[in-house]
Amino acid sequence: MSEKNFWAERFEAERGRLGAVAYRMLGSRAEAEDAVQEAWLRLQRAGEGIDNPAGWLTTVVGRICLDMLRARGRRREDPIDGGEGEMQHADPAVRADEQAALADSVGLALLVVLERLAPAERLAFVLHDMFDVPFEEIGRIVDRSPVAARQLASRARRRVQGLPETPSADYERRKGVVAAFLAASRDGDFSGLLAVLDPEVVFHADADAVRLGSLAEISGAEAVATSFKGKATAAKLALIDGTPGLAVILGGQLRVVVLMEVEGERIVTIDSIADPALIAAMEVTYL
């Protein structure tokens, strides 16, 4: 079998799933087909070196859809409810058929809510909750950590379910754990830090945070506690995309965002993000 035929067969095996992903992301059959076709063209150009074609194609389609949603937002288009863009000029019968088909596949109520989500939230929710794509892959698509991708999906899920942005019991629990971590860090309370850290906790820092002096990765409660003991003096408790975390203020500016994944009463993952572009894309509210 020629290499061209090999990749064509692999692509055709994934085409239906990729089309379903793009359709739920974009709400337009024509745009979904365009996204899938663009993924095929990129696969042809990439060729060798792809170890996981299914995952690679999902990532590519996700990024293409994300770009299309963002461009649509800049043009103030709305393919479901109307707008001033190209969808407004589509054949009304075709457009109605698309709306009906998508409503049948995801439910009318869900369709309305999906249209109100930010592009990254919609992608995280659709890929994870509808297609079981792991947060590691979603994070790569939206240029965020797996923890941040999980928070995007969680926030979208709350909106889809009609729950408050920050459910009271869960919110207070997470906020309490993060606040206890911050207080123990500031006070140099090693035992206090160990009390809120999972024994297998893992800390990650992006390249920008490393340039500011952070270690790239730390594993284990004792090592993480040692690193944070007596630190966090410039940190403030904050909501990061609707989830409790820390905002580090340096020179009067928000320079670092610390995301924490909390399970029960312990922190299992800490992500330190200092990339200005990623921080600018986050919604940060000081508590």
Side-chain angles (χ1 to χ4, degrees), residues 12-83:
E12 287 303 321
E14 299 294 329
R15 181 188 287 274
R17 183 179 62 83
L18 296 174
V21 169
Y23 192 30
R24 285 163 176 78
M25 281 292 301
L26 298 169
S28 162
R29 196 178 303 279
E31 287 185 324
E33 290 175 355
D34 288 344
V36 172
Q37 183 62 25
E38 175 61 24
W40 164 238
L41 295 176
R42 295 187 188 186
L43 178 64
Q44 288 181 299
R45 292 195 293 267
E48 298 179 358
I50 300 175
D51 297 325
N52 180 6
W56 188 91
L57 285 165
T58 300
T59 297
V60 169
V61 167
R63 286 176 175 163
I64 292 170
C65 290
L66 191 60
D67 289 342
M68 294 172 75
L69 286 172
R70 287 169 174 166
R72 179 189 297 168
R74 288 192 293 270
R75 295 194 302 269
R76 296 184 180 181
E77 292 180 359
D78 187 338
I80 303 302
D81 298 321

